[in-house]
Amino acid sequence: MSIFIRPYTSSDCEAILDIINFNILNSTALYDYKARTLSQQIAIFEDKLEKNFPIIVAEQDNKVVGFGYYSEFRFREAYKFTVEHSVYVTHKEHGKGIGNLLLSELITLAKKQELHTMIAVIDSENQNSVKFHEKYGFETVGVIKESGYKFDKWLNSVIMQLFLRP
């Protein structure tokens, strides 16, 4: 059962939507309240691809089991060398190294695009994700307290950063 990392195609979007909507409805990994529609998710990804940002998927046994991408950190021109990334793995496959493969590939792609730094914004309750990012050299550079509100409580955002170029 090998895992294959490849570029996203629009036929992957339904499986990706299942992963996203599970996280929206069951976790603080995404600060959205409502499940997304397929047309919303396709539009989000089309925008990223038009801006030359990669979207990759992890496939196992011809099934999408995870995905990742990066895109603008902020929308001002001076931020053009900084990206924010996201990596998601289906909840049934956590702990099997899929996230490692996805993040490693995103870092490689960002370096090829000669980007300078990659940002992760992580809910502070998700210490597994914080530790996962630390393995790749991300450092916590700040915490934005009570930046989100979900599941009847205030949430803190941990900001982590990885420099891509020496």
Side-chain angles (χ1 to χ4, degrees):
M1 285 208 235
S2 62
I3 299 161
F4 176 63
I5 304 297
R6 62 170 174 75
Y8 158 86
T9 65
S10 59
S11 63
D12 299 321
C13 207
E14 283 192 52
I16 288 170
L17 188 63
D18 289 342
I19 296 168
I20 288 173
N21 284 338
F22 178 87
N23 280 284
I24 288 172
L25 298 173
N26 297 288
S27 79
T28 56
L30 285 152
Y31 281 14
D32 296 352
Y33 292 161
K34 296 179 185 176
R36 295 181 189 168
T37 66
L38 184 59
S39 62
Q40 287 172 322
Q41 191 60 50
I42 288 171
I44 290 168
F45 280 172
E46 284 176 354
D47 178 65
K48 291 179 187 332
L49 293 171
E50 286 173 13
K51 294 175 181 173
N52 202 31
F53 291 118
I55 305 168
I56 57 176
V57 298
E59 184 179 290
Q60 182 178 29
D61 298 329
N62 297 316
K63 290 178 62 178
V64 172
V65 293
F67 71 98
Y69 61 88
Y70 57 79
S71 61
E72 302 100 333
F73 169 65
R74 303 277 309 261
F75 297 100
R76 304 285 188 267
E77 189 174 8
Y79 291 112
K80 66 184 176 182
F81 297 104
T82 301
V83 291
E84 181 180 343
H85 77 282
S86 294
V87 171
Y88 294 95
V89 175
T90 182
H91 68 283
K92 299 173 188 174
E93 302 294 333
H94 281 190
K96 296 183 179 178
I98 298 166
N100 290 313
L101 295 171
L102 288 163
L103 185 54
S104 292
E105 182 63 15
L106 288 176
I107 291 168
T108 298
L109 291 169
K111 287 178 178 180
K112 285 181 184 175
Q113 286 187 316
E114 297 183 354
L115 297 169
H116 182 66
T117 188
M118 186 176 276
I119 305 296
V121 181
I122 303 166
D123 181 67
S124 65
E125 292 181 359
N126 191 350
Q127 286 300 301
N128 287 338
S129 184
V130 170
K131 290 175 185 166
F132 168 74
H133 282 82
E134 287 173 344
K135 289 190 320 187
Y136 284 89
F138 282 81
E139 295 181 11
T140 298
V141 294
V143 176
I144 304 173
K145 295 179 180 179
E146 297 184 5
S147 55
Y149 187 82
K150 188 172 180 181
F151 302 136
D152 296 321
K153 61 183 174 181
W154 288 105
L155 305 171
N156 302 325
S157 297
V158 176
I159 311 299
M160 300 186 78
Q161 180 178 27
L162 174 71
F163 285 100
L164 300 165
R165 303 191 307 173

